Amino acid sequence: MSTNTGMGSHVIEADVVVCGGGVAGTMAAVAAARQGASVVLVERYGFLGGNATAGAVAQFNSWQTGNGRRVVAGLADEVVARLRLYGAARSHERFVMSTGHHMDRVEYAPEVLKLALDDMVAEAGVRPLLHANLLDVECEGRHIVGMRVLTKGGVLRLRASVLVDASGDMDALKQAGARFLELGDNESLQPATMMFRFGPIDFDRFGALTKAELAELAARGYAQGQLARAALHSSRDPYSTDGWFNISRLGIDATDPMALGAAEIEGRRQAWKAAWFLTHSVPGCEDGRLRAFATQVGVRETRRVEGDHVLTAEELLKPVQFPDAIAAGAYPIDIHPASGGSLHYVPMGPDHAYQIPYRSLIPSTLDNALVVGRGISASHEALAAIRVMTISMAVGHAAGIAAAMAARAADAGMAAQVRAVPVPALREALLRGGAVLG
């Protein structure tokens, strides 16, 4: 529904507004709309997907425990199924990373993911508001009552019963005055990465390199200053003999606008040097050249909201069974230091999975907002496990259903209260939708 206030400012009303169209936000928007809510999805680019498309991560990691038990399904599974209909996702596989660690993944084509997400949004009836940047958020006490966005048509005002912040940097909640978690004395923000496309690659030869050979090559490239970190991690493009490489390292606070711009420039320089090393030193890559940069640097960590529950690494490692669990995961604690070539990596046991509680999606100081993606309420170390896109899609699925339930209650004459969402009904709806909760 849209109205005009008569003062030149256009107002769009919805049950749920999702701020940020990455995979977490898109899943939240689709899930809410499928529950019958009217939904507006706000995104700064002209396409959806966030780090999965603009960041060109090109693989969805960690669908299962080490022994093969599935822990992520639901809407995330649907995304992969739709990619496969376009011929744009490879088979699920287990592999060994260039750092020597075991992992499972689905490789996909980032450009085609844009189409798959478009399809899901359109079919669900979500109204996508693309090319829109957040200006400010209006609050009355603990309630968000509206937000303004800058578009090609000027400033629009959005009003919704529930706001889902899926912006990664928690831009909407920052404007709303939410509280955020601080880094510990020995902690620093995880670095960003500039993904780049390189090819052609003889994947038979490149894939035949042993763990020891990959480690030796990566260490040599790092020692020579050609690689920003000692890794040669890549995923194959489904349509070609090109690969997307994740081997740069940019230690910045991505909420600092000058630093973010500098990181984009430095990331392209690092990618060019890494591509030169691949061509001249890595078997199977001799004929390859740098083909493309990602649209943006991929950011692992900035703001983490203070929620009703702060998820900790200890809770993941036990693992704690939460009565309000709304998603599960098995990805390891994977901390990239801001500088240097190393990686802090804590793998999970063969059948180890952990849970994410609904309370970690609820900002402590607000009553009608939810958080999805890498900004949820978790310690620095816990975030290093739960930030990956598979888990973010699972959390987005849950938040969308919860937002629709809260908005429905508001329609019954109350102000929307995300804490009043009946968790058993939320969990039941997730299970009906194919989600895994533990």
Side-chain angles (χ1 to χ4, degrees):
M1 177 180 175
S2 301
T3 60
N4 196 302
T5 64
M7 301 171 62
S9 60
H10 198 58
V11 178
I12 296 176
E13 296 180 318
D15 295 323
V16 177
V17 167
V18 180
C19 184
V23 288
T26 302
M27 295 307 100
V30 168
R34 288 182 180 178
Q35 291 289 311
S38 60
V39 182
V40 173
L41 176 58
V42 180
E43 168 55 40
R44 61 178 170 154
Y45 288 126
F47 55 87
L48 304 171
N51 272 342
T53 52
V57 173
Q59 59 181 332
F60 293 126
N61 284 334
S62 192
W63 297 84
Q64 61 187 35
T65 60
N67 66 5
R69 179 165 61 91
R70 283 295 296 267
V71 294
V72 176
L75 284 183
D77 256 355
E78 183 178 330
V79 170
V80 172
R82 287 171 177 267
L83 281 166
R84 290 204 173 114
L85 288 174
Y86 281 114
R90 294 169 64 83
S91 297
H92 178 266
E93 65 171 0
R94 290 180 57 80
F95 71 108
V96 180
M97 295 191 292
S98 64
T99 53
H101 301 108
H102 291 262
M103 182 56 61
D104 71 286
R105 68 181 174 188
V106 172
E107 298 166 302
Y108 65 88
E111 290 300 315
V112 185
L113 178 59
K114 297 174 183 177
L115 276 171
L117 297 178
D118 288 344
D119 292 345
M120 292 179 76
V121 163
E123 291 168 20
V126 173
R127 287 178 288 172
L129 181 56
L130 306 182
H131 297 293
N133 288 281
L134 178 68
L135 275 180
D136 52 34
V137 175
E138 180 186 356
C139 292
E140 292 178 0
R142 294 173 57 90
H143 233 70
I144 294 173
V145 296
M147 56 188 280
R148 294 193 305 161
V149 294
L150 180 62
T151 74
K152 291 294 289 184
V155 176
L156 296 180
R157 184 163 182 245
L158 307 178
R159 284 201 300 247
S161 295
V162 180
L163 172 72
V164 178
D165 193 337
S167 63
D169 297 327
M170 300 294 97
D171 291 330
L173 293 188
K174 176 69 173 174
Q175 296 262 11
R179 288 201 290 260
F180 295 91
L181 301 170
E182 300 290 332
L183 289 166
D185 291 340
N186 298 315
E187 296 174 345
S188 58
L189 292 173
Q190 289 213 52
T193 291
M194 173 60 79
M195 299 288 296
F196 66 92
R197 182 171 173 165
F198 176 93
I201 298 170
D202 182 340
F203 277 100
D204 289 337
R205 291 179 61 215
F206 182 60
L209 292 169
T210 66
K211 287 193 291 184
E213 288 170 332
L214 279 170
E216 189 278 328
L217 283 165
R220 188 199 317 166
Y222 179 69
Q224 292 173 353
Q226 298 299 318
L227 300 181
R229 69 183 184 104
L232 289 170
H233 187 46
S234 70
S235 55
R236 183 172 179 173
D237 176 72
Y239 288 134
S240 70
T241 52
D242 291 354
W244 285 98
F245 279 81
N246 174 2
I247 52 178
S248 67
R249 177 158 284 172
L250 303 159
I252 57 157
D253 178 354
T255 64
D256 178 336
M258 296 301 290
L260 181 59
E264 299 276 3
I265 293 168
E266 173 60 20
R268 289 188 282 271
R269 290 182 181 138
Q270 288 185 9
W272 178 260
K273 290 168 69 175
W276 187 95
F277 177 78
L278 291 170
T279 301
H280 291 86
S281 301
V282 178
C285 297
E286 297 89 346
D287 296 330
R289 296 292 183 272
L290 187 141
R291 304 271 207 191
F293 303 107
T295 301
Q296 64 169 54
V297 293
V299 179
R300 291 182 175 88
E301 179 183 20
T302 50
R303 302 184 183 104
R304 292 168 290 118
V305 75
E306 176 194 278
D308 285 1
H309 179 85
V310 180
L311 187 62
T312 67
E314 290 76 17
E315 290 170 330
L316 301 184
L317 293 170
K318 276 184 178 179
V320 172
Q321 301 296 300
F322 294 105
D324 61 336
I326 47 79
Y331 190 77
I333 294 173
D334 172 21
I335 300 179
H336 296 245
S339 61
S342 62
L343 181 72
H344 175 64
Y345 195 94
V346 181
M348 302 292 159
D351 194 47
H352 189 100
Y354 46 76
Q355 296 179 326
I356 298 169
Y358 178 57
R359 287 164 295 151
S360 288
L361 281 55
I362 302 175
S364 61
T365 60
L366 295 165
D367 289 338
N368 67 328
L370 292 168
V371 184
V372 298
R374 60 180 168 80
I376 74 171
S377 180
S379 71
H380 169 72
E381 197 175 5
L383 181 70
I386 64 171
R387 62 181 169 79
V388 294
M389 296 187 297
T390 43
I391 297 173
S392 291
M393 286 192 280
V395 171
H397 186 178
I401 294 174
M405 292 171 81
R408 193 176 303 126
D411 287 343
M414 302 180 292
Q417 298 282 343
V418 293
R419 289 175 184 82
V421 167
V423 170
L426 169 59
R427 285 167 51 88
E428 183 181 329
L430 283 164
L431 292 170
R432 282 200 306 272
V436 179
L437 304 182

Coordinates of all heavy atoms in Angstrom, one line a residue, residues 301-361:
E301 N 32.8 -9.3 8.9 CA 32.4 -8.8 10.3 C 32.5 -7.3 10.4 O 33.5 -6.7 10.0 CB 33.3 -9.5 11.3 CG 32.9 -9.1 12.8 CD 33.9 -9.7 13.8 OE1 35.0 -10.1 13.4 OE2 33.5 -9.7 15.0
T302 N 31.4 -6.7 10.9 CA 31.5 -5.3 11.3 C 30.7 -5.3 12.7 O 31.2 -5.7 13.7 CB 30.9 -4.4 10.3 OG1 29.6 -4.8 9.8 CG2 31.8 -4.2 9.1
R303 N 29.5 -4.7 12.6 CA 28.7 -4.6 13.9 C 28.0 -5.9 14.2 O 27.5 -6.6 13.4 CB 27.7 -3.5 13.8 CG 28.3 -2.1 13.5 CD 27.2 -1.0 13.5 NE 27.7 0.3 13.1 CZ 27.6 0.8 11.9 NH1 26.8 0.2 11.0 NH2 28.1 2.0 11.7
R304 N 27.9 -6.2 15.5 CA 27.1 -7.3 16.1 C 26.2 -6.8 17.1 O 26.6 -6.1 18.0 CB 28.0 -8.4 16.7 CG 28.9 -9.2 15.7 CD 30.0 -10.0 16.4 NE 31.0 -9.1 17.0 CZ 31.3 -9.0 18.3 NH1 30.6 -9.8 19.2 NH2 32.2 -8.2 18.8
V305 N 24.9 -7.0 16.9 CA 23.9 -6.4 17.8 C 24.0 -7.0 19.2 O 24.3 -8.2 19.3 CB 22.5 -6.5 17.2 CG1 22.0 -7.9 17.3 CG2 21.6 -5.5 17.8
E306 N 23.7 -6.3 20.2 CA 23.4 -6.8 21.5 C 22.0 -7.3 21.5 O 21.0 -6.5 21.4 CB 23.6 -5.8 22.6 CG 23.3 -6.3 24.0 CD 23.2 -5.2 25.0 OE1 24.2 -4.7 25.5 OE2 22.0 -4.7 25.3
G307 N 21.8 -8.6 21.7 CA 20.5 -9.2 21.6 C 20.0 -9.7 23.0 O 20.7 -9.6 24.0
D308 N 18.8 -10.3 23.0 CA 18.3 -10.8 24.3 C 19.2 -12.0 24.7 O 19.3 -12.3 25.9 CB 16.9 -11.3 24.1 CG 15.9 -10.2 24.0 OD1 16.3 -9.0 24.1 OD2 14.7 -10.5 23.9
H309 N 19.9 -12.6 23.8 CA 20.9 -13.7 24.1 C 22.1 -13.5 23.3 O 22.0 -13.3 22.1 CB 20.3 -15.1 23.9 CG 21.3 -16.2 24.2 ND1 21.5 -16.6 25.5 CD2 22.2 -16.8 23.5 CE1 22.4 -17.6 25.5 NE2 22.9 -17.7 24.3
V310 N 23.3 -13.5 23.9 CA 24.5 -13.4 23.1 C 25.1 -14.8 23.0 O 25.5 -15.4 23.9 CB 25.6 -12.5 23.8 CG1 26.9 -12.4 23.0 CG2 25.0 -11.1 24.0
L311 N 25.1 -15.3 21.8 CA 25.5 -16.7 21.5 C 27.1 -16.7 21.6 O 27.8 -15.9 21.1 CB 25.1 -17.1 20.1 CG 25.3 -18.5 19.7 CD1 24.6 -19.5 20.5 CD2 24.9 -18.7 18.2
T312 N 27.6 -17.7 22.3 CA 29.0 -17.8 22.6 C 29.6 -19.0 21.9 O 28.9 -20.0 21.6 CB 29.3 -17.9 24.1 OG1 28.8 -19.1 24.6 CG2 28.7 -16.7 24.8
A313 N 30.9 -19.0 21.7 CA 31.6 -20.1 21.2 C 31.5 -21.4 22.1 O 31.4 -22.5 21.6 CB 33.1 -19.8 21.0
E314 N 31.5 -21.1 23.4 CA 31.3 -22.2 24.3 C 30.0 -23.0 24.1 O 29.9 -24.2 24.2 CB 31.4 -21.7 25.8 CG 32.8 -21.3 26.2 CD 33.1 -19.9 25.6 OE1 32.2 -19.2 25.2 OE2 34.4 -19.6 25.6
E315 N 28.9 -22.2 23.8 CA 27.6 -22.8 23.6 C 27.6 -23.6 22.3 O 27.0 -24.6 22.2 CB 26.6 -21.7 23.5 CG 26.3 -21.1 24.9 CD 25.4 -19.9 24.8 OE1 25.5 -19.1 23.8 OE2 24.7 -19.6 25.8
L316 N 28.4 -23.1 21.3 CA 28.5 -23.9 20.0 C 29.2 -25.2 20.2 O 28.9 -26.2 19.6 CB 29.2 -23.0 18.9 CG 28.6 -21.7 18.5 CD1 29.3 -21.1 17.4 CD2 27.1 -21.8 18.2
L317 N 30.3 -25.1 21.0 CA 31.2 -26.3 21.2 C 30.6 -27.3 22.1 O 31.0 -28.5 22.0 CB 32.6 -25.8 21.7 CG 33.3 -24.9 20.7 CD1 34.6 -24.3 21.3 CD2 33.7 -25.7 19.4
K318 N 29.7 -27.0 23.0 CA 29.2 -28.0 23.9 C 28.4 -29.1 23.2 O 28.8 -30.3 23.5 CB 28.3 -27.4 25.0 CG 29.1 -26.8 26.1 CD 28.2 -26.3 27.2 CE 29.1 -25.8 28.4 NZ 28.2 -25.2 29.5
P319 N 27.5 -29.0 22.4 CA 26.7 -27.8 22.1 C 25.5 -27.7 23.0 O 24.9 -28.7 23.4 CB 26.2 -28.0 20.6 CG 26.0 -29.5 20.6 CD 27.0 -30.1 21.5
V320 N 25.1 -26.4 23.3 CA 23.9 -26.2 24.1 C 22.7 -26.4 23.3 O 22.6 -26.0 22.1 CB 23.9 -24.7 24.7 CG1 22.6 -24.4 25.3 CG2 25.1 -24.5 25.6
Q321 N 21.7 -27.1 23.8 CA 20.4 -27.3 23.2 C 19.4 -26.2 23.6 O 19.1 -26.1 24.8 CB 19.8 -28.6 23.5 CG 20.7 -29.8 23.1 CD 20.9 -29.9 21.6 OE1 19.9 -30.0 20.8 NE2 22.1 -29.8 21.1
F322 N 19.0 -25.3 22.7 CA 18.2 -24.2 23.1 C 16.7 -24.5 22.9 O 16.3 -25.0 21.8 CB 18.5 -22.9 22.3 CG 19.9 -22.4 22.5 CD1 21.0 -22.6 21.6 CD2 20.2 -21.7 23.7 CE1 22.2 -22.1 21.8 CE2 21.5 -21.2 23.9 CZ 22.5 -21.4 23.0
P323 N 15.8 -24.2 23.8 CA 14.4 -24.4 23.6 C 13.8 -23.6 22.5 O 12.8 -23.9 21.9 CB 13.8 -24.1 25.0 CG 14.8 -23.2 25.7 CD 16.1 -23.7 25.2
D324 N 14.5 -22.4 22.2 CA 14.0 -21.6 21.1 C 14.9 -21.6 19.9 O 15.0 -20.7 19.1 CB 13.9 -20.1 21.6 CG 15.2 -19.5 22.1 OD1 16.1 -20.3 22.5 OD2 15.3 -18.3 22.1
A325 N 15.5 -22.8 19.7 CA 16.4 -22.9 18.5 C 15.6 -22.8 17.2 O 14.5 -23.4 17.1 CB 17.1 -24.3 18.5
I326 N 16.1 -21.9 16.3 CA 15.4 -21.7 15.0 C 16.3 -22.0 13.8 O 15.8 -21.9 12.7 CB 14.9 -20.3 15.0 CG1 16.0 -19.2 15.3 CG2 13.7 -20.1 15.9 CD1 17.0 -18.9 14.3
A327 N 17.5 -22.4 14.0 CA 18.4 -22.8 13.0 C 19.6 -23.6 13.6 O 19.8 -23.6 14.8 CB 18.9 -21.6 12.2
A328 N 20.2 -24.4 12.7 CA 21.4 -25.2 13.1 C 22.5 -24.9 12.2 O 22.4 -24.4 11.1 CB 21.0 -26.6 13.2
G329 N 23.7 -25.4 12.6 CA 24.9 -25.3 11.8 C 26.0 -26.2 12.2 O 25.9 -26.8 13.3
A330 N 27.0 -26.4 11.4 CA 28.1 -27.2 11.7 C 29.4 -26.6 11.2 O 30.5 -27.2 11.3 CB 28.0 -28.6 11.1
Y331 N 29.4 -25.4 10.7 CA 30.6 -24.7 10.2 C 31.6 -24.5 11.3 O 31.1 -24.1 12.4 CB 30.2 -23.4 9.5 CG 31.4 -22.8 8.7 CD1 31.8 -23.3 7.5 CD2 32.1 -21.7 9.2 CE1 32.8 -22.7 6.8 CE2 33.2 -21.2 8.5 CZ 33.5 -21.7 7.3 OH 34.6 -21.1 6.6
P332 N 32.8 -24.7 11.1 CA 33.8 -24.5 12.2 C 34.0 -23.0 12.6 O 33.6 -22.1 11.9 CB 35.1 -25.0 11.6 CG 34.9 -24.8 10.1 CD 33.5 -25.1 9.8
I333 N 34.6 -22.8 13.7 CA 35.1 -21.5 14.1 C 36.3 -21.2 13.2 O 37.3 -21.8 13.3 CB 35.4 -21.4 15.6 CG1 34.2 -21.7 16.5 CG2 36.1 -20.1 16.0 CD1 34.4 -21.8 17.9
D334 N 36.1 -20.2 12.4 CA 37.1 -19.9 11.3 C 37.4 -18.4 11.4 O 36.7 -17.6 10.8 CB 36.4 -20.3 10.0 CG 37.1 -19.9 8.8 OD1 38.3 -19.7 8.8 OD2 36.5 -19.8 7.7
I335 N 38.5 -18.1 12.1 CA 38.9 -16.7 12.3 C 40.0 -16.3 11.4 O 41.1 -16.8 11.6 CB 39.2 -16.4 13.7 CG1 38.0 -16.7 14.6 CG2 39.6 -14.9 13.9 CD1 38.2 -16.4 16.1
H336 N 39.8 -15.4 10.5 CA 40.9 -14.9 9.6 C 41.5 -13.6 10.4 O 40.7 -12.7 10.6 CB 40.3 -14.4 8.3 CG 39.8 -15.5 7.4 ND1 40.4 -15.9 6.2 CD2 38.7 -16.4 7.6 CE1 39.7 -16.9 5.7 NE2 38.7 -17.2 6.5
P337 N 42.7 -13.7 10.7 CA 43.3 -12.5 11.4 C 43.4 -11.3 10.4 O 43.4 -11.5 9.2 CB 44.7 -12.9 11.8 CG 45.0 -14.1 10.9 CD 43.7 -14.7 10.5
A338 N 43.4 -10.1 10.9 CA 43.4 -8.9 10.1 C 44.7 -8.8 9.2 O 44.7 -8.2 8.2 CB 43.2 -7.6 10.9
S339 N 45.8 -9.4 9.7 CA 47.0 -9.3 8.9 C 47.7 -10.7 9.1 O 47.4 -11.4 10.0 CB 47.9 -8.2 9.4 OG 48.2 -8.3 10.8
G340 N 48.7 -10.9 8.2 CA 49.4 -12.2 8.3 C 48.7 -13.3 7.5 O 47.6 -13.1 7.0
G341 N 49.5 -14.4 7.3 CA 48.9 -15.4 6.4 C 48.2 -16.5 7.1 O 47.7 -17.4 6.4
S342 N 48.0 -16.5 8.4 CA 47.5 -17.6 9.1 C 46.0 -17.6 9.2 O 45.3 -16.7 8.7 CB 48.1 -17.6 10.6 OG 47.7 -16.4 11.2
L343 N 45.5 -18.7 9.9 CA 44.0 -18.9 10.0 C 43.8 -19.6 11.3 O 44.5 -20.6 11.6 CB 43.5 -19.7 8.9 CG 42.0 -20.0 8.8 CD1 41.2 -18.8 8.4 CD2 41.7 -21.1 7.8
H344 N 42.9 -19.1 12.2 CA 42.5 -19.7 13.4 C 41.3 -20.6 13.1 O 40.2 -20.1 12.8 CB 42.2 -18.7 14.5 CG 41.7 -19.4 15.8 ND1 42.5 -20.2 16.6 CD2 40.6 -19.3 16.4 CE1 41.8 -20.6 17.6 NE2 40.6 -20.1 17.6
Y345 N 41.4 -21.9 13.2 CA 40.4 -22.8 12.7 C 40.1 -23.9 13.8 O 41.0 -24.6 14.2 CB 40.9 -23.4 11.5 CG 39.9 -24.1 10.6 CD1 39.2 -23.5 9.6 CD2 39.6 -25.5 10.8 CE1 38.3 -24.1 8.8 CE2 38.7 -26.1 10.0 CZ 38.0 -25.5 9.0 OH 37.1 -26.1 8.2
V346 N 38.9 -23.9 14.3 CA 38.5 -24.9 15.3 C 37.4 -25.8 14.7 O 36.2 -25.4 14.6 CB 37.9 -24.2 16.6 CG1 37.6 -25.3 17.6 CG2 38.9 -23.2 17.1
P347 N 37.8 -27.0 14.2 CA 36.8 -27.9 13.6 C 35.8 -28.5 14.6 O 36.1 -28.5 15.8 CB 37.7 -28.9 12.9 CG 38.9 -29.0 13.8 CD 39.1 -27.6 14.2
M348 N 34.7 -28.9 14.1 CA 33.7 -29.5 14.9 C 33.9 -31.1 14.8 O 34.5 -31.6 13.8 CB 32.3 -29.2 14.4 CG 32.0 -27.7 14.5 SD 32.0 -27.0 16.2 CE 32.3 -25.3 15.9
G349 N 33.4 -31.8 15.7 CA 33.5 -33.3 15.7 C 32.7 -33.9 14.6 O 31.9 -33.2 13.9
P350 N 32.8 -35.2 14.3 CA 32.2 -35.8 13.2 C 30.7 -35.7 13.1 O 30.1 -35.5 12.0 CB 32.6 -37.3 13.3 CG 33.8 -37.3 14.2 CD 33.7 -36.1 15.1
D351 N 30.0 -35.7 14.2 CA 28.5 -35.5 14.2 C 28.1 -34.3 15.0 O 27.0 -34.2 15.5 CB 27.9 -36.8 14.8 CG 26.4 -36.8 14.5 OD1 26.0 -36.6 13.3 OD2 25.6 -37.1 15.4
H352 N 29.0 -33.3 15.1 CA 28.7 -32.1 15.9 C 27.9 -31.1 15.1 O 28.3 -30.7 14.1 CB 30.0 -31.5 16.4 CG 29.9 -30.5 17.4 ND1 30.1 -30.7 18.8 CD2 29.5 -29.2 17.4 CE1 29.9 -29.6 19.5 NE2 29.5 -28.6 18.6
A353 N 26.8 -30.7 15.7 CA 26.0 -29.6 15.2 C 25.6 -28.7 16.3 O 25.5 -29.2 17.5 CB 24.8 -30.1 14.4
Y354 N 25.4 -27.4 16.1 CA 25.0 -26.5 17.1 C 23.7 -25.8 16.7 O 23.3 -25.9 15.5 CB 26.1 -25.5 17.4 CG 26.8 -24.9 16.2 CD1 26.1 -23.9 15.4 CD2 28.0 -25.3 15.8 CE1 26.7 -23.4 14.3 CE2 28.6 -24.8 14.6 CZ 28.0 -23.8 13.9 OH 28.5 -23.3 12.8
Q355 N 23.1 -25.0 17.6 CA 21.9 -24.4 17.4 C 22.0 -22.9 17.6 O 22.9 -22.4 18.3 CB 20.8 -24.9 18.3 CG 20.5 -26.4 18.2 CD 19.4 -26.9 19.1 OE1 19.4 -26.4 20.3 NE2 18.6 -27.8 18.7
I356 N 21.1 -22.1 16.9 CA 21.0 -20.7 17.1 C 19.6 -20.4 17.6 O 18.6 -20.7 17.1 CB 21.2 -20.0 15.7 CG1 22.6 -20.3 15.2 CG2 21.0 -18.5 15.8 CD1 22.8 -19.9 13.7
P357 N 19.6 -19.7 18.8 CA 18.3 -19.4 19.4 C 17.6 -18.1 18.9 O 18.3 -17.2 18.4 CB 18.7 -19.2 20.9 CG 20.1 -18.6 20.8 CD 20.7 -19.2 19.6
Y358 N 16.3 -18.1 18.9 CA 15.5 -17.0 18.4 C 15.9 -15.7 19.1 O 16.0 -14.6 18.6 CB 14.1 -17.3 18.6 CG 13.1 -16.2 18.2 CD1 13.1 -15.7 16.9 CD2 12.2 -15.7 19.1 CE1 12.2 -14.7 16.6 CE2 11.3 -14.7 18.8 CZ 11.3 -14.2 17.5 OH 10.5 -13.2 17.1
R359 N 16.2 -15.8 20.4 CA 16.6 -14.6 21.2 C 17.8 -13.9 20.7 O 18.0 -12.7 20.9 CB 16.8 -15.0 22.7 CG 15.6 -15.4 23.5 CD 15.9 -16.1 24.7 NE 16.5 -17.4 24.4 CZ 17.4 -18.1 25.2 NH1 17.8 -17.5 26.3 NH2 17.9 -19.2 24.8
S360 N 18.7 -14.6 19.9 CA 19.9 -13.9 19.4 C 19.5 -13.1 18.1 O 20.4 -12.4 17.6 CB 20.9 -14.9 19.0 OG 21.5 -15.5 20.2
L361 N 18.3 -13.1 17.7 CA 17.8 -12.3 16.6 C 17.1 -11.1 17.1 O 16.7 -10.2 16.2 CB 16.8 -13.1 15.7 CG 17.4 -14.1 14.7 CD1 18.3 -15.2 15.4 CD2 16.2 -14.8 14.0

